[in-house]
C-alpha cells in the first residue's frame, strides 16, 4: 500500500530534524559529559573553559530542533504522538527533566557569586548531560522494538524496560560523548590550543570505540526485541549503515593523524547516516508493525499546512542557524574588550534604574487626599442609610 506523499515528506523532515538535534545538541550533551569527567576544580579548569567557549554561544538555539520535532509529530502524526507520550511517559519526563536541569545548571554556573554555588550548578549541568540523552535514546529504542502501540493505554513500563531500549540509551550517551569530543578537537585546533587538541583527541578515540561496541551489542538485542527493524537495518538500510560505519572510522583516523579540516564533516555524516538508516528501517511504519504512515497521519489539509510551515522554516530559520554557527566558528560571539565596556555600561544603567526614586510630594498628597475623601464619603453614606 502506497503512503501519502505529504506524510512521507513530513516524515523525512522529521528525521532530518532529529539528525540536526543529534549533531548539534548531541555535541552540547557531549560537552557536558566531558565536563563531568574532567576531574577536580584545578585539573578540569582548562577543559571546562574550552567546553564553555564552544557551548555557550549556541546551546540555547540548539534546543529549537527538539521543539520543531515535537511539533511535527503531534501535528502531522497525532495518533503516534498520543501512543508515545502515554506509553513512554516516564522516560520522556526524565529526559525533559534532564534538559531543564541542564539549562538551569549551565545558566547559574555563569552567574553564581559563590564558589560552592558555581560548583553545584556545574555538577547539575554535567549530570543532566548524561540524563537527557540516555532517556531520549531509551525512548527511541522503545519505539523501534514495536512495544509502543495504539492499543496500549497509560504508562507501559515493559515498552522501555528492556535490553534494546536501555542499550539504545547507553548508545546515545556514548555517541554524544563522541560527537562532542570531535567538535571540541576542531574548536581547540581553531583556537590554537594544541594541549586541548591532544586532550579531546584521546577522548574522541575512546568514545568512538565505545560507541562502536555499543552499536554492535544493540544490533544483537534488536535481533530479538525488534525483528522488523533489525531485518530492515541489515537489508534495505544496510548501505546507509555502511556509510555511517565508514564515516565514523574515517573520523577516528583523522583524529589519529591530526587532520581536523574534514573531521566535523565525517563525524556529521556518521551520525546523519545512522539516523537515516533508522528511519528507512522503520518505513513505512510510525510504530513498527502496528501503525503505518497512512493510518497515523493527520488529514491531508493538515499535512499541506505542515509543508508550508516547513518551507517557511527552511527560508527563515535555517539561514539564521547557519549564520549563528558561522559567527560561533569565526569567534564573533566571544567577550572582547569592547563588549566588556558595553557590559559595564549596561550594569551602570541597571544600577541607576534600580535606585529608588523619591516620590513626588504633591502627587502623593493628592492620592492620599483622594483616598481619604472616598473613605469619608462612604462612611457618611452608611450612616445615612442606618
Amino acid at each position: 500500500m502506497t503512503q501519502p506523499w505529504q506524510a512521507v515528506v513530513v516524515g523525512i523532515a522529521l528525521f532530518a530534524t532529529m539528525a540536526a538535534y543529534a549533531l548539534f545538541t548531541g555535541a552540547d550533551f557531549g560537552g557536558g559529559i566531558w565536563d563531568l569527567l574532567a576531574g577536580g576544580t584545578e585539573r578540569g579548569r582548562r577543559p571546562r573553559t574550552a567546553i564553555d567557549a564552544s557551548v555557550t554561544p549556541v546551546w540555547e538555539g540548539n534546543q529549537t530542533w527538539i521543539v520543531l520535532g515535537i511539533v511535527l509529530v503531534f501535528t502531522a502524526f497525532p495518533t503516534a504522538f498520543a501512543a508515545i507520550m502515554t506509553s513512554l511517559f516516564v522516560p520522556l519526563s526524565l529526559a525533559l527533566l534532564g534538559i531543564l536541569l541542564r539549562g538551569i545548571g549551565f545558566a547559574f554556573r555563569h552567574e553564581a557569586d559563590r564558589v560552592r554555588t558555581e560548583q553545584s550548578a556545574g555538577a547539575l549541568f554535567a549530570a543532566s548531560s548524561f540524563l537527557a540523552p540516555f532517556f531520549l535514546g531509551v525512548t527511541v529504542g522503545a519505539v523501534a522494538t514495536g512495544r509502543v502501540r495504539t492499543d496500549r493505554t497509560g504508562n507501559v513500563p515493559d515498552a522501555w524496560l528492556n535490553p534494546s531500549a536501555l542499550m539504545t540509551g547507553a548508545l546515545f550517551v556514548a555517541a554524544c560523548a563522541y560527537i562532542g569530543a570531535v567538535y571540541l578537537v576542531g574548536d581547540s585546533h581553531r583556537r590554537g590550543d594544541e594541549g586541548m587538541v591532544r586532550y579531546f583527541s584521546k577522548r574522541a578515540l575512546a568514545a568512538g570505540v565505545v560507541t562502536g561496541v555499543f552499536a554492535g551489542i544493540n544490533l544483537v538485542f534488536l535481533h530479538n526485541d525488534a525483528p522488523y527493524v533489525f531485518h530492515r537495518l541489515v537489508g534495505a538500510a544496510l548501505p546507509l549503515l555502511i556509510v555511517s560505519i565508514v564515516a565514523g572510522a574515517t573520523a577516528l583516523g583523522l583524529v589519529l593523524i591530526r587532520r581536523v579540516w574534514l573531521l566535523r564533516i565525517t563525524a556529521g555524516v556518521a551520525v546523519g547516516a545512522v539516523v537515516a538508516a533508522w528511519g528507512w528501517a522503520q518505513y513505512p511504519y510510525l510504530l513498527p508493525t502496528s501503525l503505518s504512515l497512512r493510518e497515523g497521519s493527520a488529514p491531508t489539509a493538515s499535512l499541506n499546512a505542515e509543508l508550508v510551515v516547513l518551507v517557511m522554516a527552511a527560508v527563515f530559520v535555517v539561514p539564521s542557524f547557519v549564520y549563528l554557527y558561522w559567527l560561533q566558528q569565526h569567534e564573533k560571539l566571544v567577550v572582547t574588550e569592547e563588549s566588556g565596556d558595553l557590559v559595564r555600561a549596561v550594569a551602570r544603567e541597571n544600577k541607576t534604574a534600580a535606585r529608588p526614586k523619591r516620590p513626588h510630594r504633591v502627587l502623593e498628597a493628592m492620592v492620599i487626599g483622594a483616598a481619604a475623601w472616598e473613605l469619608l464619603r462612604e462612611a457618611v453614606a452608611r450612616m445615612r442609610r442606618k
Side-chain angles (χ1 to χ4, degrees):
M1 181 182 295
T2 58
Q3 308 301 316
W5 70 267
Q6 296 97 330
V8 173
V9 173
V10 175
I12 292 171
L14 174 61
F15 275 88
T17 300
M18 287 190 285
Y21 188 73
L23 279 172
F24 300 116
T25 309
D28 290 351
F29 287 146
I33 291 168
W34 295 122
D35 186 294
L36 184 63
L37 300 177
T41 302
E42 290 303 320
R43 180 186 171 191
R45 187 178 303 278
R46 283 188 64 195
R48 290 190 177 104
T49 300
I51 291 166
D52 277 355
S54 295
V55 173
T56 300
V58 296
W59 73 275
E60 290 179 290
N62 286 338
Q63 300 304 321
T64 302
W65 301 112
I66 195 170
V67 174
L68 176 60
I70 291 173
V71 171
L72 286 176
V73 175
F74 79 71
T75 53
F77 312 115
T79 307
F81 177 82
I84 293 169
M85 286 294 175
T86 53
S87 297
L88 303 177
F89 174 79
V90 172
L92 283 170
S93 297
L94 291 172
L96 179 61
L97 180 65
I99 293 172
L100 177 65
L101 294 179
R102 182 176 178 274
I104 292 172
F106 193 73
F108 275 75
R109 180 166 72 171
H110 292 87
E111 299 298 330
D113 293 328
R114 299 180 179 178
V115 174
R116 181 164 294 182
T117 304
E118 181 182 354
Q119 291 174 340
S120 299
L124 183 64
F125 159 70
S128 299
S129 296
F130 270 99
L131 185 69
F134 177 77
F135 283 105
L136 287 172
V138 166
T139 300
V140 170
V143 172
T145 62
R147 288 183 169 88
V148 178
R149 300 194 301 269
T150 56
D151 59 350
R152 307 181 76 178
T153 58
N155 180 45
V156 184
D158 71 296
W160 62 278
L161 290 175
N162 58 76
S164 290
L166 296 175
M167 180 51 69
T168 304
L171 176 61
F172 268 49
V173 173
C176 287
Y178 163 70
I179 195 72
V182 165
Y183 278 36
L184 286 165
V185 168
D187 285 349
S188 299
H189 177 77
R190 190 184 69 250
R191 299 185 192 110
D193 191 342
E194 290 304 314
M196 286 295 97
V197 169
R198 291 190 296 272
Y199 179 91
F200 287 115
S201 293
K202 295 175 182 177
R203 282 147 182 81
L205 289 170
V209 172
V210 172
T211 301
V213 171
F214 282 4
I217 296 173
N218 202 33
L219 276 177
V220 175
F221 287 150
L222 286 174
H223 180 269
N224 298 322
D225 293 339
Y228 177 83
V229 172
F230 172 81
H231 289 299
R232 291 271 300 174
L233 273 175
V234 298
L238 185 59
L240 290 169
L241 208 58
I242 293 173
V243 168
S244 177
I245 294 170
V246 171
T250 303
L252 293 180
L254 291 172
V255 170
L256 279 172
I257 63 175
R258 304 286 172 82
R259 295 290 185 270
V260 300
W261 65 281
L262 279 177
L263 189 56
R264 292 174 183 270
I265 296 175
T266 52
V269 169
V271 174
V274 78
V275 173
W278 167 44
W280 187 231
Q282 196 167 298
Y283 184 82
Y285 291 104
L286 293 167
L287 304 176
T289 72
S290 64
L291 183 68
S292 68
L293 271 171
R294 177 175 291 278
E295 296 166 341
S297 297
T300 303
S302 297
L303 293 176
N304 288 335
E306 287 285 346
L307 294 177
V308 173
V309 171
L310 286 172
V311 171
M312 293 176 65
V315 172
F316 296 106
V317 178
V318 173
S320 301
F321 269 98
V322 171
Y323 186 51
L324 172 65
Y325 297 139
W326 183 88
L327 290 174
Q328 192 261 354
Q329 287 299 301
H330 288 79
E331 303 288 344
K332 301 293 185 181
L333 300 177
V334 298
V335 177
T336 62
E337 185 176 350
E338 291 78 10
S339 58
D341 292 339
L342 179 60
V343 169
R344 287 187 289 273
V346 171
R348 286 195 300 269
E349 182 68 24
N350 290 338
K351 185 177 180 180
T352 302
R355 187 179 301 157
K357 298 179 179 179
R358 289 175 48 186
H360 197 286
R361 295 186 181 278
V362 175
L363 181 61
E364 182 180 2
M366 291 175 61
V367 171
I368 293 175
W373 171 254
E374 287 297 324
L375 288 173
L376 178 62
R377 202 161 60 99
E378 182 67 22
V380 171
R382 287 185 179 183
M383 291 177 61
R384 286 180 176 176
R385 285 195 297 268
K386 290 181 178 181

